[in-house]
Amino acid sequence: MHDQTAVHTEGIADLIDAYPDVKVLVDSGYRGLANDHPDQVIAPPRKPPKDATADEMAAYQTARKAQSSQRIPVEHAIASIKWWRTLQRFTGHREQLPDIIRAVTGLASDHAAARRNRPESHPY
């Protein structure tokens, strides 16, 4: 589902309105949501025009990298869920998908916790 379609069909904008103290880091697919809720939704900076100065480009790169660094844990979590075959090849009924996603995210969370708690192996 496209990001903007999700905003309209899943009520994301309504949730943001309902929780004014919540701030959200989003990717560029949610730029419209960031425009509508500038104090709560933080999208990546817009790319400067081609005739931008070197200082403007450097400032853009710094801001983009800072925002990207904050979002990377979320992107990794999403990617780890997508590795599960159940979600890669899901062709079932749409109403079953939320239950399947909850089950897979629980398994992915358990798997990540097990990896963190595993003792480090020693070379000797």
Side-chain angles (χ1 to χ4, degrees):
M1 178 182 304
H2 188 274
D3 294 344
Q4 284 304 311
T5 303
V7 167
H8 297 297
T9 61
E10 303 299 324
I12 294 172
D14 296 334
L15 285 171
I16 290 174
D17 290 335
Y19 298 95
D21 295 336
V22 172
K23 295 199 182 297
V24 183
L25 287 171
V26 298
D27 62 24
S28 58
Y30 291 94
R31 183 155 319 275
L33 190 62
N35 292 341
D36 294 343
H37 301 87
D39 295 332
Q40 285 181 270
V41 181
I42 304 159
R46 292 189 185 274
K47 191 171 183 180
K50 292 183 180 188
D51 61 347
T53 65
D55 288 341
E56 290 172 330
M57 284 301 292
Y60 161 74
Q61 290 292 347
T62 301
R64 184 188 62 76
K65 188 169 187 171
Q67 205 262 0
S68 175
S69 295
Q70 290 176 319
R71 277 198 45 78
I72 200 71
V74 173
E75 296 297 337
H76 284 179
I78 292 168
S80 72
I81 293 167
K82 289 181 179 179
W83 276 96
W84 291 78
R85 291 274 182 231
T86 305
L87 292 179
Q88 285 179 350
R89 298 168 189 222
F90 181 76
T91 58
H93 295 284
R94 186 177 187 149
E95 62 272 2
Q96 293 173 338
L97 188 58
D99 291 333
I100 292 172
I101 289 175
R102 276 191 291 278
V104 170
T105 54
L107 291 170
S109 176
D110 292 348
H111 184 71
R115 279 187 308 192
R116 279 193 305 271
N117 294 329
R118 211 178 303 156
E120 291 185 33
S121 59
H122 295 285
Y124 46 87

